[in-house]
Amino acid sequence: MRAITGLWRRRRGPLHRGVGRAEGRLALAAVLLIVLAVPAAAGWGGRAAHEALAETAREQHRERLQVWATVDPSVARPVPGDGPEAGHPVAVTWTAPDGRAHAGTVTADRAAGPGERLRIWIDSRGRPTTGPMDPTAVATHTVLAGIGAGGAAAGAVELLRRLALRRLRARRLARWDEEWARTDPGRGCAGHAG
């Protein structure tokens, strides 16, 4: 607490300069902004992301439907995938809610043989799609958006602090040059006679 009050006290003496006090106040202001603005930005970013993602999830639940699909019997064995992370591409047929038959390749979570049935998600036109966003995905993306917004706010505060600090240091060097010129006008900055 003493360090904080020391920033606002007026000090006397040839080594205590206004630029030094300004740098201290700038550091205090940056800390206060980070403590106050970062949580506010994180909350705002998370709330905005949650509202948008929740609306997207509701829309996906309205537009997507899960139907039964049958693995195409003409396929002798499952189509090989790129690896365990890629899922299993499977040729299937399904019937859309409007009664039209469709055929295509979907990615299943397991290998399926000819004639097997599995559940797939389709959109309003009957085309295969991914399932709607679940509450866990909404919550995860909300947290990540909040962290990102908070990090961006902290980065902005730090960037502004560094820019202001650069100006203060340039002012300090200019004043040192002025005082040096008044103190010893015959010598240069390197200490050589001019």
Side-chain angles (χ1 to χ4, degrees):
M1 193 66 179
R2 184 179 294 184
I4 292 174
T5 58
L7 291 173
W8 300 107
R9 250 190 345 208
R10 185 135 179 104
R11 296 184 182 184
R12 304 280 182 218
L15 297 178
H16 291 88
R17 310 220 183 257
V19 173
R21 287 190 299 273
E23 286 178 0
R25 290 180 182 141
L26 178 64
L28 178 63
V31 167
L32 289 175
L33 273 174
I34 287 175
V35 168
L36 299 174
V38 168
W44 175 82
R47 188 171 35 258
H50 180 74
E51 290 170 3
L53 290 169
E55 178 57 34
T56 299
R58 284 190 293 274
E59 186 177 310
Q60 287 177 351
H61 277 283
R62 284 191 303 269
E63 294 177 353
R64 296 177 184 184
L65 178 68
Q66 198 171 30
V67 297
W68 284 103
T70 305
V71 177
D72 191 352
S74 64
V75 178
R77 60 184 184 280
V79 180
D82 294 333
E85 308 86 30
H88 300 277
V90 181
V92 295
T93 58
W94 68 93
T95 303
D98 62 4
R100 291 187 300 162
H102 294 272
T105 302
V106 298
T107 303
D109 57 354
R110 62 180 173 81
E116 283 189 57
R117 291 180 50 140
L118 49 97
R119 302 281 282 172
I120 65 168
W121 286 96
I122 60 171
D123 63 14
S124 58
R125 295 181 181 163
R127 295 177 301 193
T129 187
T130 58
M133 192 179 301
D134 64 349
T136 304
V138 171
T140 301
H141 286 87
T142 298
V143 168
L144 291 174
I147 290 171
V157 168
E158 178 61 14
L159 177 66
L160 292 174
R161 184 191 73 83
R162 286 180 183 250
L163 290 173
L165 195 59
R166 182 179 288 178
R167 288 194 71 160
L168 288 172
R169 287 182 179 160
R171 187 184 309 167
R172 173 189 291 146
L173 290 174
R175 287 190 179 160
W176 280 356
D177 285 344
E178 290 171 7
E179 289 182 20
W180 183 257
R182 274 189 306 226
T183 305
D184 194 1
R187 296 176 69 83
C189 289
H192 301 291

